[in-house]
Amino acid sequence: AQSVSQHNHHVILSEAASLELGCNYSYGGTVNLFWYVQYPGQHLQLLLKYFSGDPLVKGIKGFEAEFIKSKFSFNLRKPSVQWSDTAEYFCAVSRPSLDSNYQLIWGAGTKLIIKP
Amino acid sequence: EPEVTQTPSHQVTQMGQEVILRCVPISNHLYFYWYRQILGQKVEFLVSFYNNEISEKSEIFDDQFSVERPDGSNFTLKIRSTKLEDSAMYFCASSGPGTGELFFGEGSRLTVL
């Protein structure tokens, strides 16, 4: 069965530290890749997505992610985090289907806490 | 910017009661989804809906659950007889054709007592 693994359930960093959150998936075919963020008490928001093309994807708020097909990975990075980045981050994978029905397979999420 | 809206934002109900959660997807979207997130756990797929019928559903989506698009704008999730373990945040999402990107509503928190 398809799965999405996020390596860290909790990450605590100080402001200005660099961030990398790991995401690996198990599906071998063509995939669409997403990172969603959920700020405390809020709904899910798209951070960035990869469908095709340049494997280094830039998203909102200074986040980027790199798709490495050979490693089945789509790690999220930010060079210098801010207190406002405190949130839960979810990696998700979908595979295109004939009827364009995209069911996302979700990782378990990584809770990121930034210490001021 | 178009957005997915959900009502109610929070509902408290007694075990065994019926609950209807409502969603208004983005107007030109064709694919609709319900997800749930039990407190502290991952987001779980419940069901997807296209062309007025269910296209996929998970094991969670048993006979207690149903979805409907009653009037061309609303997309509802009904839980027929709620159980304690149905307490969760329920997210509605919609997507347009060929994008693969889901747009989420703010969620409806359901508390079953």
Side-chain angles (χ1 to χ4, degrees), chain A residues 1-8 20-29 31-35 65-76 89-94 105-110, chain B residues 42:
Chain A
Q2 295 174 67
S3 67
V4 178
S5 299
Q6 291 184 239
H7 312 305
N8 307 98
E20 181 159 1
L21 301 182
C23 173
N24 287 89
Y25 61 94
S26 64
Y27 183 66
V31 292
N32 297 329
L33 298 155
F34 305 84
W35 276 97
E66 185 174 12
F67 169 50
I68 304 179
K69 190 173 181 181
S70 60
K71 295 184 178 179
F72 299 90
S73 71
F74 190 54
N75 291 354
L76 181 70
Y89 293 80
F90 294 92
C91 180
V93 175
S94 74
I105 309 297
W106 294 81
T110 298
Chain B
K42 68 194 303 184

Short mmCIF file of all heavy atoms in Angstrom, two decimals, chain A residues 1-8 20-29 31-35 65-76 89-94 105-110, chain B residues 42:
data_model
loop_
_atom_site.label_atom_id
_atom_site.label_comp_id
_atom_site.label_asym_id
_atom_site.label_seq_id
_atom_site.Cartn_x
_atom_site.Cartn_y
_atom_site.Cartn_z
N ALA A 1 0.84 -1.19 0.00
CA ALA A 1 0.00 0.00 0.00
C ALA A 1 0.88 1.25 0.00
O ALA A 1 2.00 1.24 0.52
CB ALA A 1 -0.89 0.01 1.24
N GLN A 2 0.33 2.30 -0.62
CA GLN A 2 1.08 3.55 -0.62
C GLN A 2 1.19 4.09 0.78
O GLN A 2 0.27 3.95 1.59
CB GLN A 2 0.35 4.58 -1.47
CG GLN A 2 0.25 4.25 -2.92
CD GLN A 2 -0.62 5.27 -3.61
OE1 GLN A 2 -0.24 6.42 -3.71
NE2 GLN A 2 -1.78 4.87 -4.05
N SER A 3 2.32 4.75 1.06
CA SER A 3 2.45 5.40 2.36
C SER A 3 3.35 6.62 2.21
O SER A 3 4.13 6.73 1.27
CB SER A 3 3.01 4.44 3.39
OG SER A 3 4.34 4.11 3.09
N VAL A 4 3.20 7.51 3.17
CA VAL A 4 4.03 8.71 3.24
C VAL A 4 4.62 8.76 4.64
O VAL A 4 3.87 8.69 5.62
CB VAL A 4 3.20 9.98 2.95
CG1 VAL A 4 4.07 11.21 3.09
CG2 VAL A 4 2.58 9.90 1.56
N SER A 5 5.92 8.86 4.72
CA SER A 5 6.59 8.87 6.01
C SER A 5 7.23 10.22 6.27
O SER A 5 7.98 10.72 5.44
CB SER A 5 7.69 7.81 6.03
OG SER A 5 7.15 6.53 5.84
N GLN A 6 6.92 10.77 7.43
CA GLN A 6 7.61 11.97 7.88
C GLN A 6 8.46 11.56 9.06
O GLN A 6 7.97 10.99 10.04
CB GLN A 6 6.60 13.05 8.26
CG GLN A 6 5.86 13.59 7.06
CD GLN A 6 4.93 14.73 7.40
OE1 GLN A 6 3.73 14.66 7.16
NE2 GLN A 6 5.46 15.81 7.96
N HIS A 7 9.74 11.86 8.97
CA HIS A 7 10.69 11.24 9.88
C HIS A 7 10.60 11.75 11.30
O HIS A 7 10.89 11.02 12.24
CB HIS A 7 12.11 11.46 9.36
CG HIS A 7 12.23 11.12 7.91
ND1 HIS A 7 11.86 9.90 7.42
CD2 HIS A 7 12.65 11.85 6.85
CE1 HIS A 7 12.06 9.88 6.12
NE2 HIS A 7 12.53 11.04 5.75
N ASN A 8 10.24 12.99 11.47
CA ASN A 8 10.22 13.58 12.80
C ASN A 8 8.80 13.98 13.16
O ASN A 8 8.14 14.64 12.40
CB ASN A 8 11.12 14.83 12.84
CG ASN A 8 12.51 14.54 12.35
OD1 ASN A 8 12.83 14.81 11.20
ND2 ASN A 8 13.31 13.97 13.20
N GLU A 20 15.00 21.48 8.07
CA GLU A 20 14.74 20.49 7.04
C GLU A 20 13.83 19.44 7.62
O GLU A 20 14.17 18.79 8.62
CB GLU A 20 16.02 19.85 6.49
CG GLU A 20 15.71 18.84 5.38
CD GLU A 20 16.90 18.55 4.48
OE1 GLU A 20 17.98 19.11 4.71
OE2 GLU A 20 16.73 17.77 3.52
N LEU A 21 12.69 19.26 7.02
CA LEU A 21 11.73 18.22 7.43
C LEU A 21 11.69 17.16 6.34
O LEU A 21 11.46 17.47 5.17
CB LEU A 21 10.34 18.81 7.63
CG LEU A 21 10.20 19.93 8.66
CD1 LEU A 21 8.74 20.37 8.78
CD2 LEU A 21 10.72 19.48 10.01
N GLY A 22 11.89 15.92 6.76
CA GLY A 22 11.96 14.84 5.79
C GLY A 22 10.59 14.28 5.42
O GLY A 22 9.67 14.26 6.24
N CYS A 23 10.47 13.86 4.17
CA CYS A 23 9.27 13.20 3.69
C CYS A 23 9.68 12.17 2.66
O CYS A 23 10.37 12.50 1.69
CB CYS A 23 8.31 14.21 3.08
SG CYS A 23 6.86 13.46 2.28
N ASN A 24 9.26 10.94 2.86
CA ASN A 24 9.47 9.88 1.88
C ASN A 24 8.14 9.21 1.56
O ASN A 24 7.28 9.11 2.42
CB ASN A 24 10.46 8.83 2.42
CG ASN A 24 11.86 9.33 2.43
OD1 ASN A 24 12.30 9.93 3.41
ND2 ASN A 24 12.58 9.11 1.34
N TYR A 25 8.02 8.76 0.33
CA TYR A 25 6.78 8.10 -0.07
C TYR A 25 7.11 6.77 -0.72
O TYR A 25 8.25 6.54 -1.15
CB TYR A 25 5.97 9.00 -1.02
CG TYR A 25 6.70 9.33 -2.28
CD1 TYR A 25 6.52 8.57 -3.44
CD2 TYR A 25 7.59 10.40 -2.34
CE1 TYR A 25 7.21 8.86 -4.59
CE2 TYR A 25 8.27 10.70 -3.50
CZ TYR A 25 8.08 9.93 -4.63
OH TYR A 25 8.76 10.21 -5.77
N SER A 26 6.12 5.92 -0.80
CA SER A 26 6.40 4.57 -1.26
C SER A 26 5.93 4.29 -2.68
O SER A 26 6.30 3.27 -3.25
CB SER A 26 5.75 3.54 -0.32
OG SER A 26 4.34 3.69 -0.36
N TYR A 27 5.15 5.15 -3.26
CA TYR A 27 4.59 4.86 -4.58
C TYR A 27 5.63 5.07 -5.68
O TYR A 27 6.33 6.07 -5.69
CB TYR A 27 3.38 5.75 -4.83
CG TYR A 27 2.70 5.46 -6.14
CD1 TYR A 27 2.06 4.24 -6.35
CD2 TYR A 27 2.71 6.39 -7.17
CE1 TYR A 27 1.44 3.96 -7.55
CE2 TYR A 27 2.09 6.13 -8.37
CZ TYR A 27 1.45 4.91 -8.56
OH TYR A 27 0.85 4.64 -9.75
N GLY A 28 5.73 4.13 -6.61
CA GLY A 28 6.78 4.17 -7.61
C GLY A 28 6.45 4.88 -8.90
O GLY A 28 7.34 5.14 -9.69
N GLY A 29 5.20 5.21 -9.13
CA GLY A 29 4.83 5.83 -10.40
C GLY A 29 4.90 7.34 -10.34
O GLY A 29 5.52 7.92 -9.44
N VAL A 31 3.89 10.92 -9.43
CA VAL A 31 3.20 11.44 -8.26
C VAL A 31 3.16 12.97 -8.29
O VAL A 31 3.99 13.61 -8.92
CB VAL A 31 3.86 11.01 -6.93
CG1 VAL A 31 3.70 9.50 -6.70
CG2 VAL A 31 5.32 11.40 -6.90
N ASN A 32 2.19 13.51 -7.62
CA ASN A 32 2.17 14.93 -7.28
C ASN A 32 2.48 15.03 -5.80
O ASN A 32 2.03 14.20 -5.00
CB ASN A 32 0.79 15.54 -7.55
CG ASN A 32 0.41 15.49 -9.02
OD1 ASN A 32 1.27 15.55 -9.90
ND2 ASN A 32 -0.88 15.37 -9.29
N LEU A 33 3.25 16.03 -5.44
CA LEU A 33 3.74 16.12 -4.07
C LEU A 33 3.36 17.47 -3.47
O LEU A 33 3.43 18.50 -4.15
CB LEU A 33 5.27 15.96 -4.05
CG LEU A 33 5.74 14.61 -4.58
CD1 LEU A 33 7.16 14.71 -5.10
CD2 LEU A 33 5.67 13.55 -3.49
N PHE A 34 3.00 17.46 -2.21
CA PHE A 34 2.51 18.66 -1.53
C PHE A 34 3.08 18.76 -0.12
O PHE A 34 3.32 17.75 0.53
CB PHE A 34 0.98 18.63 -1.41
CG PHE A 34 0.24 18.43 -2.70
CD1 PHE A 34 0.05 17.16 -3.22
CD2 PHE A 34 -0.26 19.51 -3.41
CE1 PHE A 34 -0.63 16.96 -4.41
CE2 PHE A 34 -0.95 19.33 -4.60
CZ PHE A 34 -1.13 18.05 -5.10
N TRP A 35 3.26 19.98 0.30
CA TRP A 35 3.43 20.25 1.72
C TRP A 35 2.32 21.22 2.13
O TRP A 35 2.12 22.27 1.52
CB TRP A 35 4.79 20.89 2.02
CG TRP A 35 5.90 19.90 2.19
CD1 TRP A 35 6.81 19.50 1.24
CD2 TRP A 35 6.23 19.19 3.37
NE1 TRP A 35 7.67 18.58 1.77
CE2 TRP A 35 7.34 18.37 3.08
CE3 TRP A 35 5.71 19.16 4.67
CZ2 TRP A 35 7.95 17.53 4.03
CZ3 TRP A 35 6.30 18.33 5.61
CH2 TRP A 35 7.40 17.53 5.28
N ALA A 65 11.17 23.06 -1.31
CA ALA A 65 11.26 21.61 -1.17
C ALA A 65 11.94 21.06 -2.41
O ALA A 65 11.80 21.60 -3.51
CB ALA A 65 9.88 20.98 -0.99
N GLU A 66 12.66 19.96 -2.21
CA GLU A 66 13.35 19.34 -3.33
C GLU A 66 12.84 17.92 -3.54
O GLU A 66 12.84 17.10 -2.61
CB GLU A 66 14.86 19.31 -3.09
CG GLU A 66 15.63 18.77 -4.29
CD GLU A 66 17.14 18.86 -4.12
OE1 GLU A 66 17.59 19.11 -2.98
OE2 GLU A 66 17.84 18.66 -5.13
N PHE A 67 12.42 17.66 -4.76
CA PHE A 67 11.96 16.33 -5.14
C PHE A 67 13.17 15.54 -5.64
O PHE A 67 13.83 15.94 -6.61
CB PHE A 67 10.90 16.45 -6.23
CG PHE A 67 10.52 15.16 -6.89
CD1 PHE A 67 10.18 14.05 -6.13
CD2 PHE A 67 10.49 15.04 -8.27
CE1 PHE A 67 9.81 12.85 -6.73
CE2 PHE A 67 10.12 13.85 -8.89
CZ PHE A 67 9.79 12.76 -8.12
N ILE A 68 13.50 14.47 -4.96
CA ILE A 68 14.58 13.57 -5.41
C ILE A 68 13.94 12.24 -5.74
O ILE A 68 13.62 11.44 -4.86
CB ILE A 68 15.68 13.43 -4.35
CG1 ILE A 68 16.24 14.80 -3.97
CG2 ILE A 68 16.79 12.52 -4.88
CD1 ILE A 68 17.33 14.77 -2.91
N LYS A 69 13.75 12.02 -7.04
CA LYS A 69 12.98 10.85 -7.48
C LYS A 69 13.65 9.55 -7.06
O LYS A 69 12.98 8.60 -6.64
CB LYS A 69 12.82 10.90 -9.00
CG LYS A 69 11.84 9.88 -9.55
CD LYS A 69 11.62 10.09 -11.03
CE LYS A 69 10.60 9.08 -11.55
NZ LYS A 69 10.38 9.25 -13.00
N SER A 70 14.97 9.51 -7.15
CA SER A 70 15.69 8.27 -6.84
C SER A 70 15.58 7.90 -5.37
O SER A 70 15.73 6.73 -5.01
CB SER A 70 17.17 8.42 -7.22
OG SER A 70 17.75 9.48 -6.48
N LYS A 71 15.32 8.88 -4.55
CA LYS A 71 15.20 8.63 -3.11
C LYS A 71 13.75 8.64 -2.66
O LYS A 71 13.48 8.50 -1.46
CB LYS A 71 15.98 9.68 -2.31
CG LYS A 71 17.48 9.62 -2.52
CD LYS A 71 18.20 10.62 -1.62
CE LYS A 71 19.70 10.52 -1.80
NZ LYS A 71 20.43 11.49 -0.95
N PHE A 72 12.82 8.85 -3.57
CA PHE A 72 11.40 8.94 -3.23
C PHE A 72 11.20 9.95 -2.10
O PHE A 72 10.46 9.70 -1.14
CB PHE A 72 10.84 7.56 -2.81
CG PHE A 72 10.93 6.53 -3.89
CD1 PHE A 72 12.05 5.73 -4.01
CD2 PHE A 72 9.90 6.36 -4.79
CE1 PHE A 72 12.15 4.78 -5.02
CE2 PHE A 72 9.97 5.42 -5.80
CZ PHE A 72 11.10 4.63 -5.92
N SER A 73 11.88 11.08 -2.22
CA SER A 73 11.81 12.05 -1.13
C SER A 73 11.36 13.42 -1.63
O SER A 73 11.53 13.77 -2.80
CB SER A 73 13.17 12.16 -0.44
OG SER A 73 14.10 12.82 -1.28
N PHE A 74 10.81 14.16 -0.69
CA PHE A 74 10.35 15.54 -0.98
C PHE A 74 10.50 16.32 0.32
O PHE A 74 9.55 16.63 1.01
CB PHE A 74 8.89 15.50 -1.45
CG PHE A 74 8.38 16.81 -2.00
CD1 PHE A 74 9.04 17.47 -3.02
CD2 PHE A 74 7.20 17.37 -1.50
CE1 PHE A 74 8.56 18.67 -3.54
CE2 PHE A 74 6.72 18.58 -2.01
CZ PHE A 74 7.39 19.21 -3.03
N ASN A 75 11.75 16.64 0.65
CA ASN A 75 12.05 17.27 1.93
C ASN A 75 11.77 18.77 1.87
O ASN A 75 12.07 19.44 0.88
CB ASN A 75 13.50 17.03 2.31
CG ASN A 75 13.76 15.57 2.65
OD1 ASN A 75 12.84 14.75 2.71
ND2 ASN A 75 15.02 15.25 2.87
N LEU A 76 11.27 19.27 2.97
CA LEU A 76 10.93 20.69 3.09
C LEU A 76 12.08 21.41 3.78
O LEU A 76 12.61 20.91 4.78
CB LEU A 76 9.65 20.84 3.92
CG LEU A 76 9.14 22.27 4.13
CD1 LEU A 76 8.59 22.85 2.82
CD2 LEU A 76 8.06 22.29 5.21
N TYR A 89 3.29 20.54 10.07
CA TYR A 89 3.57 20.45 8.64
C TYR A 89 3.27 19.03 8.16
O TYR A 89 3.73 18.06 8.74
CB TYR A 89 5.04 20.81 8.36
CG TYR A 89 5.32 22.26 8.66
CD1 TYR A 89 5.54 22.69 9.96
CD2 TYR A 89 5.33 23.21 7.64
CE1 TYR A 89 5.77 24.03 10.25
CE2 TYR A 89 5.56 24.55 7.92
CZ TYR A 89 5.77 24.95 9.23
OH TYR A 89 5.99 26.28 9.51
N PHE A 90 2.50 18.97 7.08
CA PHE A 90 2.09 17.69 6.53
C PHE A 90 2.58 17.55 5.10
O PHE A 90 2.35 18.42 4.27
CB PHE A 90 0.56 17.57 6.52
CG PHE A 90 -0.07 17.53 7.88
CD1 PHE A 90 -0.49 18.70 8.49
CD2 PHE A 90 -0.24 16.33 8.55
CE1 PHE A 90 -1.08 18.67 9.76
CE2 PHE A 90 -0.83 16.28 9.81
CZ PHE A 90 -1.24 17.45 10.41
N CYS A 91 3.21 16.44 4.84
CA CYS A 91 3.57 16.06 3.49
C CYS A 91 2.44 15.20 2.93
O CYS A 91 1.85 14.40 3.67
CB CYS A 91 4.88 15.27 3.53
SG CYS A 91 5.48 14.73 1.94
N ALA A 92 2.12 15.37 1.67
CA ALA A 92 1.05 14.58 1.06
C ALA A 92 1.42 14.25 -0.37
O ALA A 92 2.12 15.02 -1.04
CB ALA A 92 -0.28 15.33 1.11
N VAL A 93 0.95 13.12 -0.81
CA VAL A 93 1.27 12.62 -2.14
C VAL A 93 -0.03 12.22 -2.82
O VAL A 93 -0.90 11.62 -2.19
CB VAL A 93 2.20 11.39 -2.05
CG1 VAL A 93 2.44 10.79 -3.42
CG2 VAL A 93 3.52 11.78 -1.40
N SER A 94 -0.15 12.54 -4.08
CA SER A 94 -1.28 12.02 -4.84
C SER A 94 -0.76 11.50 -6.16
O SER A 94 0.30 11.90 -6.64
CB SER A 94 -2.35 13.09 -5.08
OG SER A 94 -1.93 14.00 -6.07
N ILE A 105 -2.56 11.04 -0.07
CA ILE A 105 -2.08 10.18 1.00
C ILE A 105 -1.21 11.05 1.90
O ILE A 105 -0.26 11.68 1.42
CB ILE A 105 -1.24 9.00 0.46
CG1 ILE A 105 -1.98 8.26 -0.66
CG2 ILE A 105 -0.86 8.05 1.59
CD1 ILE A 105 -3.27 7.63 -0.25
N TRP A 106 -1.54 11.08 3.19
CA TRP A 106 -0.91 12.04 4.08
C TRP A 106 0.17 11.41 4.94
O TRP A 106 0.03 10.26 5.39
CB TRP A 106 -1.96 12.66 5.01
CG TRP A 106 -2.97 13.49 4.31
CD1 TRP A 106 -4.07 13.05 3.64
CD2 TRP A 106 -2.97 14.91 4.19
NE1 TRP A 106 -4.76 14.11 3.12
CE2 TRP A 106 -4.13 15.25 3.44
CE3 TRP A 106 -2.14 15.92 4.66
CZ2 TRP A 106 -4.43 16.58 3.14
CZ3 TRP A 106 -2.46 17.24 4.36
CH2 TRP A 106 -3.59 17.56 3.61
N GLY A 107 1.20 12.17 5.22
CA GLY A 107 2.12 11.81 6.28
C GLY A 107 1.49 12.11 7.63
O GLY A 107 0.45 12.77 7.71
N ALA A 108 2.13 11.64 8.68
CA ALA A 108 1.58 11.81 10.04
C ALA A 108 1.74 13.22 10.57
O ALA A 108 1.15 13.56 11.59
CB ALA A 108 2.24 10.81 10.98
N GLY A 109 2.54 14.02 9.91
CA GLY A 109 2.72 15.40 10.34
C GLY A 109 3.94 15.57 11.22
O GLY A 109 4.37 14.65 11.92
N THR A 110 4.53 16.76 11.17
CA THR A 110 5.64 17.13 12.04
C THR A 110 5.26 18.41 12.75
O THR A 110 4.96 19.41 12.09
CB THR A 110 6.93 17.35 11.24
OG1 THR A 110 7.32 16.15 10.59
CG2 THR A 110 8.05 17.83 12.17
N LYS B 42 -3.09 12.11 12.47
CA LYS B 42 -2.92 12.56 11.10
C LYS B 42 -4.26 12.80 10.43
O LYS B 42 -5.30 12.36 10.89
CB LYS B 42 -2.10 11.54 10.31
CG LYS B 42 -2.81 10.22 10.08
CD LYS B 42 -1.91 9.10 9.60
CE LYS B 42 -1.16 9.33 8.36
NZ LYS B 42 -0.38 8.18 7.89
#
